[in-house]
Amino acid sequence: PTYLAAQKVVCTPLGEGRVRVAGMMELAPADRPVDPRRIQAIIAASRPLLRGIDWEARTDTWVGARPCTPDGLPLIGPTGSPRVYVNGGHGMWGVALGPLSGRLLADAIATGASPAELAPLHPLR
């Protein structure tokens, strides 16, 4: 994956000559459809740096909600049910932080001892 910082665009290879080009986080209702102007803005920002792409041959265009909490912190730990644990709400950092927080949560479940780092992220806070 490559992050084009100035353009605020991320490019992720998907194999078979395909690449995902994404960016432009927007706070909007979860049921809002794709805004074609946003797609065109991503293309305009990326086009000067990505040569050889047929932008008209896109096969998939979508928008999706990012799980965010009201205070911006993820929810990691036990819930009110003794059999349910949560590891989510990382917002746009889920791909980067999810594996680490998942490992911390798995260790906490296996040992019964929750690390101090997870205390401020308790789901029932």
Side-chain angles (χ1 to χ4, degrees):
T2 301
Y3 177 49
L4 308 175
Q7 290 74 18
K8 305 272 193 275
V9 171
V10 175
C11 304
T12 307
L14 299 176
E16 301 175 13
R18 298 178 311 133
V19 65
R20 176 184 2 225
V21 181
M24 313 288 181
M25 183 172 168
E26 174 182 24
L27 299 176
D31 60 349
R32 182 180 286 172
V34 173
D35 182 343
R37 296 173 300 174
R38 299 295 250 166
I39 304 302
Q40 291 307 313
I42 293 170
I43 292 171
S46 306
R47 189 184 306 268
L49 299 173
L50 303 174
R51 297 185 189 106
I53 294 179
D54 180 358
W55 295 102
E56 300 307 314
R58 293 186 312 275
T59 58
D60 194 18
T61 301
W62 62 274
V63 63
R66 303 283 185 174
C68 297
T69 60
D71 62 7
L73 296 174
L75 305 171
I76 305 169
T79 66
S81 170
R83 296 174 40 197
V84 177
Y85 292 80
V86 173
N87 181 32
H90 294 80
M92 60 188 284
W93 291 101
V95 171
L97 298 178
L100 173 60
S101 60
R103 178 57 176 255
L104 290 171
L105 179 57
D107 289 346
I109 293 168
T111 65
S114 185
E117 295 87 356
L118 294 183
L121 309 176
H122 196 285
L124 303 179
R125 63 181 179 269

